[in-house]
């Protein structure tokens, strides 16, 4: 199994809702990542987890709350989002943070109304 | 800080021809990794090729090759025998923690 899966594929939420994005990999990777990609822009790194511990937070607003419950699963909890948070959210994984290849999931397209 | 610059927002190539996409980067580190990723309309990010800075030999993957000029901090991607399936956004990236991407180049392949 060499893929990263993300659910849901699409999500529409109001500014007062609480929702979660899920990312899963079964490649035995110990590093996982969240990226945000706005339309016609490159992906921007949000968070890095290494061995289930948060190692990088790129000054992301607290309305985005990551969680890594085990080595295969990465969640992104969303609360009180703004319309400008609408974007494609990409998850990726690699063997370890220092490993050079990242595998990307297909993304979750989020729309905040 | 590390930055990645792609100066060509759009490029076009005739099918079966060769095209080169440009990328420059800035870093104070001596050992690092550089990547080219492809993002087709499906939005799935696909690794095209990678280069380790300490290796002087340019990386090659089938029709894809790079011209890595470490002193000039230049990392261009050459696509030979272009195919319709090569049409996509191409991102140059520098690895530091996570990937740090350039702005991207949209490649169109004309039949």
């Amino acid at each position: 199994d060499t893929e990263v899966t993300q659910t849901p594929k699409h999500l529409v939420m109001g500014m007062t809702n609480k929702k979660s994005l899920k990312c899963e990999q079964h490649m035995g990777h110990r590093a996982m990542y969240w990226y945000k990609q706005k339309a016609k822009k490159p992906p921007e790194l949000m968070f890095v987890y290494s061995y289930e511990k948060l190692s990088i937070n790129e000054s992301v607003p607290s309305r985005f709350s990551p969680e890594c419950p085990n080595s295969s699963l990465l969640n992104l909890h969303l609360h009180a989002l703004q319309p400008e948070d609408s974007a494609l959210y990409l998850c990726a994984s690699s063997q370890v943070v220092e490993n050079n290849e990242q595998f990307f999931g297909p993304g979750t397209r989020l729309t905040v109304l | 800080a590390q930055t990645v610059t792609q100066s060509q927002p759009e490029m076009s190539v005739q099918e079966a021809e060769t095209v080169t996409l440009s990328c420059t980067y800035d870093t104070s580190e001596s050992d690092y990794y550089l990547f080219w990723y492809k993002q087709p309309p499906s939005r799935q990010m696909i690794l095209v090729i990678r280069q380790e800075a300490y290796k002087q030999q340019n990386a090659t993957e089938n029709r894809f090759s790079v011209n890595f000029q470490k002193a000039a901090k230049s990392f261009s991607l050459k696509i030979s025998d272009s195919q319709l399936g090569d049409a996509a956004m191409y991102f140059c990236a520098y690895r530091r923690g996570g990937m740090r991407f350039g702005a991207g180049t949209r490649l169109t392949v004309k039949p």
Side-chain angles (χ1 to χ4, degrees), chain A residues 11-15 17-19 78-79 81 110-113:
Chain A
L11 178 62
V12 179
M13 61 185 291
M15 289 189 286
N17 292 157
K18 287 185 180 180
K19 297 287 185 182
L78 314 172
H79 173 55
L81 293 194
L110 174 68
T111 302
V112 182
L113 301 176

Side-chain angles (χ1 to χ4, degrees), chain B:
Chain B
Q2 290 80 16
T3 59
V4 180
T5 303
Q6 293 179 250
S7 59
Q8 305 156 315
E10 296 184 358
M11 290 286 284
S12 180
V13 63
Q14 205 70 34
E15 195 176 5
E17 297 295 309
T18 296
V19 64
T20 298
L21 308 183
S22 301
C23 174
T24 58
Y25 61 94
D26 186 27
T27 183
S28 57
E29 298 177 342
S30 58
D31 193 18
Y32 47 87
Y33 293 96
L34 296 165
F35 303 81
W36 279 97
Y37 275 88
K38 167 184 176 181
Q39 189 176 39
S42 66
R43 309 308 299 270
Q44 178 79 50
M45 294 288 284
I46 301 166
L47 176 67
V48 175
I49 199 165
R50 63 174 175 258
Q51 176 76 44
E52 297 163 57
Y54 69 88
K55 289 186 177 180
Q56 296 197 346
Q57 187 174 6
N58 289 326
T60 299
E61 288 285 343
N62 300 314
R63 297 182 294 107
F64 299 88
S65 62
V66 300
N67 183 3
F68 174 52
Q69 302 289 327
K70 190 173 183 180
K73 295 182 181 175
S74 171
F75 181 60
S76 60
L77 174 69
K78 185 172 83 171
I79 305 174
S80 303
D81 185 25
S82 297
Q83 300 176 359
L84 295 177
D86 294 334
M89 279 293 287
Y90 285 81
F91 293 104
C92 179
Y94 178 103
R95 173 99 196 220
R96 184 177 70 85
M99 292 292 176
R100 317 291 172 155
F101 293 95
T105 297
R106 180 170 300 283
L107 179 66
T108 303
V109 181
K110 297 180 179 178

Side-chain angles (χ1 to χ4, degrees), chain A residues 9-40:
Chain A
K9 290 185 178 180
H10 302 275
L11 178 62
V12 179
M13 61 185 291
M15 289 189 286
T16 59
N17 292 157
K18 287 185 180 180
K19 297 287 185 182
S20 296
L21 309 184
K22 178 180 172 181
C23 173
E24 202 160 4
Q25 57 85 15
H26 297 288
M27 294 178 278
H29 291 173
R30 303 310 298 273
M32 298 186 77
Y33 312 79
W34 280 116
Y35 292 84
K36 173 182 178 180
Q37 186 176 23
K38 301 282 281 184
K40 299 185 179 181

